[in-house]
Amino acid sequence: MSTKKIISITALVVISGLMLYGFVLINQIFSDNTKFSDKEVFVYVPTDANYDQVLSLVSPYVVNMDRFKMVAGKMSYPSNVKSGRFLLKNGMNSYELVKAMRSNVPVKLAFNNQERIENLAGRVGSQIEADSVSLLNSFKDSIFLKENGFNEENVMVMFIPNTYETYWNTSAVKFRDKMIKEYRNFWTKERVAKAKEQGLTTIEATILASIVHKESVKKDERPRIAGVYLNRLRLGMPLQADPTVIFAIKKEANDFDQIIKRVFYKDLTMSSPYNTYVNIGLPPGPIAMPDITALEAVLTPEKNDFIYFCASVDRFGYHEFAATLEEHNRNAKKYSDWITAQGVKR
């Protein structure tokens, strides 16, 4: 056999081998390498995680880890691990899986109806990497509070209930700083001016809104309730808001899980800065996280002559309003008789 022929055969064998290797390689890279039944799953990679930790996190969702590691190596992923929340879709190949582990997917973080800053920290901590303790510490940091005009009693006014886009691996401090920015964006010059028209600072407006929020779930009634409370403030009357007494009872007992549907006369005399029956003016902090409608109700209240109101027995969820104490006493007795007949003791 001639040398030329030997060279040709050898070249053919090499080329065939390379083609076969290329086919196998392409097959390894671009064939399905997932083993979960759901359409998609999220993988959460902690801050400062290393490559071995990532392999442990993705292994429940990958059929062939050797194939995944081979592709990851070729894409220089082991030396460029990213922390965050990553979306894996059913049917992804190794190349797509590695690429997905480089694309941090934001979290739609939501919170509302929190009664205390501690509850808020727990709620947020369940949605991002930062835990409730680190979040609470960042909220109550003395330097941060002083720089922004807050204190530990009223700092929750900073949080405007909404849905926010953030990354799962956001630190406690970065989350807090994002929230103060959102707070400043919410309090536009127009809103600040509206609060001033009512004789309130932005913090006072939010504290009053928290009471309005707790008084009624009926959004169309909130401007009227806000008007009543503003009337009382202008007259120098106690707000006499039952939700503040309920908050005071829970705070004294350190039990915010208890359900209180009825306030008794003996409760109205309890010593607490949150008891607006014995203290003139607003409590030192919000008693809940008011939603936007409650805030807007305080900023644009109904102008009325009402001084009193109590729950209605004819229109559940709404209230009966009165301009005189005599009229209010009749409404209050009607409600008291009704609730007693229902057997509600607390």
Side-chain angles (χ1 to χ4, degrees):
M1 184 180 296
S2 67
T3 302
K4 188 175 181 180
K5 192 170 185 180
I6 292 172
I7 293 173
S8 298
I9 294 172
T10 301
L12 183 61
V13 171
V14 170
I15 292 171
S16 299
L18 289 173
M19 289 178 64
L20 179 61
Y21 173 77
F23 175 79
V24 172
L25 183 62
I26 290 172
N27 183 63
Q28 287 182 334
I29 294 174
F30 295 106
S31 62
D32 179 1
N33 197 18
T34 58
K35 64 175 181 181
F36 49 90
S37 57
D38 295 332
K39 288 185 178 180
E40 55 187 39
V41 296
F42 284 100
V43 174
Y44 296 83
V45 179
T47 300
D48 297 327
N50 59 36
Y51 181 53
D52 287 337
Q53 288 174 286
V54 172
L55 294 179
S56 177
L57 290 168
V58 301
S59 62
Y61 311 112
V62 175
V63 174
N64 190 318
M65 285 301 295
D66 288 335
R67 191 189 307 169
F68 176 87
K69 287 188 283 186
M70 184 269 291
V71 175
K74 292 186 177 297
M75 295 175 69
S76 301
Y77 179 78
S79 58
N80 293 282
V81 168
K82 293 184 179 296
S83 61
R85 175 177 179 254
F86 304 97
L87 176 63
L88 306 185
K89 296 182 178 181
N90 199 324
M92 278 184 165
N93 57 49
S94 297
Y95 170 78
E96 291 169 329
L97 287 170
V98 175
K99 188 177 179 181
M101 293 302 295
R102 283 179 164 162
S103 181
N104 196 359
V105 180
V107 172
K108 297 289 186 181
L109 187 150
F111 54 79
N112 58 12
N113 293 328
Q114 306 301 309
E115 284 191 303
R116 301 178 303 153
I117 195 71
E118 291 82 1
N119 299 120
L120 173 64
R123 172 66 177 149
V124 174
S126 69
Q127 299 176 76
I128 62 175
E129 183 180 16
D131 62 30
S132 60
V133 174
S134 62
L135 285 162
L136 189 60
N137 288 339
S138 73
F139 301 160
K140 291 187 174 184
D141 177 72
S142 59
I143 296 175
F144 171 80
L145 294 176
K146 185 176 181 180
E147 287 178 346
N148 292 281
F150 301 129
N151 57 47
E152 289 193 15
E153 291 290 337
N154 65 30
V155 66
M156 198 166 75
V157 305
M158 177 180 75
F159 299 91
I160 309 298
N162 208 333
T163 299
Y164 299 96
E165 187 174 278
T166 189
Y167 288 106
W168 173 80
N169 55 316
T170 299
S171 70
V173 170
K174 284 187 177 180
F175 175 77
R176 179 202 67 192
D177 291 347
K178 177 180 176 66
M179 289 298 99
I180 190 64
K181 184 178 179 180
E182 295 289 348
Y183 172 79
R184 290 168 182 155
N185 288 340
F186 175 82
W187 284 105
T188 60
K189 290 182 179 179
E190 292 74 18
R191 285 192 171 113
V192 171
K194 286 182 178 181
K196 191 174 181 180
E197 285 177 16
Q198 307 307 325
L200 303 170
T201 66
T202 58
I203 290 176
E204 291 170 337
T206 307
I207 292 173
L208 181 55
S210 74
I211 299 173
V212 173
H213 177 95
K214 277 294 189 178
E215 281 286 12
S216 180
V217 297
K218 302 297 184 181
K219 296 178 180 179
D220 59 328
E221 189 184 53
R222 285 175 172 174
R224 175 166 291 188
I225 292 174
V228 173
Y229 280 134
L230 287 165
N231 289 342
R232 292 180 184 178
L233 287 173
R234 294 186 187 106
L235 292 170
M237 290 177 58
L239 289 182
Q240 297 183 333
D242 286 1
T244 66
V245 178
I246 293 172
F247 183 87
I249 293 170
K250 291 181 176 182
K251 187 175 178 66
E252 184 178 76
N254 194 28
D255 180 6
F256 282 84
D257 292 326
Q258 61 178 307
I259 298 174
I260 299 175
K261 294 182 178 180
R262 188 172 190 179
V263 174
F264 295 101
Y265 285 113
K266 65 181 179 65
D267 299 323
L268 307 184
T269 60
M270 73 176 297
S271 177
S272 168
Y274 285 90
N275 183 355
T276 57
Y277 276 83
V278 298
N279 300 295
I280 302 293
L282 294 163
I287 61 169
M289 179 181 289
D291 63 22
I292 303 298
T293 63
L295 285 163
E296 294 293 357
V298 170
L299 299 179
T300 54
E302 177 186 281
K303 295 187 182 303
N304 57 59
D305 296 324
F306 298 128
I307 302 296
Y308 308 100
F309 65 95
C310 73
S312 174
V313 299
D314 300 315
R315 298 182 306 144
F316 291 108
Y318 286 92
H319 294 79
E320 301 296 342
F321 295 82
T324 66
L325 182 59
E326 182 182 8
E327 184 182 3
H328 171 66
N329 286 339
R330 288 198 298 270
N331 292 335
K333 185 178 186 306
K334 186 175 181 181
Y335 176 73
S336 179
D337 290 346
W338 178 85
I339 201 168
T340 298
Q342 305 308 305
V344 177
K345 300 185 182 299
R346 183 42 126 177

